[in-house]
Amino acid sequence: EKHQYILFYSDALASFAYGGSHPFKPVRAKLFYELLNRYSLIFEANQKIMLPGKLDEKLLHLFHTAKYIELLKLSSRGEFMLNMLDFGIGSNDNPIIPGMLDFALEAAGATYEGAMLLAGGRADVVFNPHGGFHHARNDFAEGFCYINDIAIAITALIRQGKRIAYCDIDAHHGNGVQEAFYEDNRVLAISLHESGKSLYPWGGFEDEIGLGGGKGFNVNIPFHAGTDDDIYLSVFEQIVPPLINAFKPDIL
């Protein structure tokens, strides 16, 4: 059965808390879901809401190192060891949170499952408001991101022979995803973000264009702080669609 539009949503994920003063609030997914409900935007016959399933732990190895996964498991049980800090676990941005691994596996599970639905032709558009942890490195938690759901899903897709265009419109540069595919011409990575001169993660400059076989397949569009909608849209329209059309991805 095919649904053109699939939304992954879970009340349990939306109510997960990083801690009182932490700036990342998963509850924003719930607010988004409530808005869709209020405006009757999710009741069409070609739309479906799915509950995220947990990512199979073995799939973490598509991107993350075994040592990092092991430490993540310990920290998720509330344990702390000093060497975790070498892996970004236990910092202000990425605190030790009991249950974090379960949360991350479910958020990543939705991204992965969505990617597989697209690859199998069972959906045209998939949205996961719980996902997008683009700062996580293969062995380092960073910027509220412990598991890089995007890098895992893209790696699985390119192993199926797919060409992937990744377009990142978060205010912050998608450094974890850039790093993952910096030398790979099967992934076109485009990131529009506030300049690293004024905003974390302090990179994503226009001269970072990929290396080796991936040279020219990594595109950064840094904006000055305070850039307005008109400028943003104008730049987006002039750069993003032409690049994607030229690359001809199987999946965006």
Side-chain angles (χ1 to χ4, degrees):
E1 187 185 7
K2 177 168 178 173
H3 286 82
Q4 285 166 292
Y5 303 100
I6 292 179
L7 169 69
F8 283 93
Y9 178 73
S10 155
D11 261 342
L13 279 183
S15 54
F16 186 82
Y18 272 53
S21 59
H22 197 284
F24 181 66
K25 308 284 186 215
V27 71
R28 61 192 189 178
K30 187 179 179 69
L31 302 176
F32 159 76
Y33 181 69
E34 286 171 354
L35 276 172
L36 290 180
N37 262 313
R38 193 173 304 155
Y39 291 102
S40 296
L41 292 171
I42 46 173
F43 304 112
E44 302 295 326
N46 63 357
Q47 298 171 329
K48 186 180 181 186
I49 300 166
M50 291 179 70
L51 200 62
K54 256 193 199 166
L55 186 76
D56 181 338
E57 274 185 33
K58 291 196 285 285
L59 293 168
L60 291 175
H61 296 277
L62 284 171
F63 179 64
H64 293 286
T65 65
K67 176 70 178 163
Y68 176 70
I69 295 166
E70 188 189 318
L71 290 174
L72 213 48
K73 283 181 177 173
L74 290 174
S75 75
S76 198
R77 295 202 290 264
E79 295 177 36
F80 177 68
M81 300 181 309
L82 267 178
N83 71 325
M84 286 177 177
L85 289 168
D86 297 334
F87 296 82
I89 304 167
S91 63
N92 285 338
D93 271 2
N94 292 83
I96 303 283
I97 308 171
M100 168 49 72
L101 187 61
D102 286 336
F103 168 78
L105 284 172
E106 225 166 288
T111 302
Y112 178 82
E113 200 178 335
M116 294 305 113
L117 288 169
L118 293 171
R122 295 194 307 269
D124 292 329
V125 176
V126 172
F127 188 60
N128 172 21
H130 306 287
F133 294 97
H134 61 172
H135 296 305
R137 309 293 180 92
N138 66 352
D139 63 353
F140 199 79
E142 197 182 302
F144 323 155
C145 307
Y146 298 78
I147 286 176
N148 197 319
D149 56 314
I150 303 159
I152 289 168
I154 292 177
T155 301
L157 289 170
I158 59 179
R159 287 191 175 183
Q160 290 185 14
K162 306 287 187 195
R163 287 162 63 77
I164 309 301
Y166 168 71
C167 183
D168 188 327
I169 55 172
D170 191 271
H172 305 90
H173 173 235
N175 57 336
V177 180
Q178 168 171 307
E179 190 177 283
F181 306 107
Y182 205 61
E183 298 183 39
D184 199 323
N185 62 12
R186 296 167 297 180
V187 180
L188 169 66
I190 306 171
S191 180
L192 302 95
H193 47 267
E194 184 180 322
S195 169
K197 289 175 182 166
S198 55
L199 190 69
Y200 170 89
W202 321 115
F205 298 108
E206 57 275 18
D207 58 356
E208 296 167 29
I209 60 167
L211 268 183
K215 191 173 182 182
F217 292 85
N218 192 83
V219 180
N220 284 306
I221 306 165
F223 291 99
H224 289 302
T227 294
D228 65 20
D229 295 0
D230 290 341
I231 292 171
Y232 189 102
L233 280 171
S234 167
V235 170
F236 186 100
E237 284 161 3
Q238 289 176 63
I239 296 176
V240 179
L243 279 177
I244 289 174
N245 289 334
F247 181 69
K248 295 187 174 56
D250 298 304
I251 293 175
L252 164 64

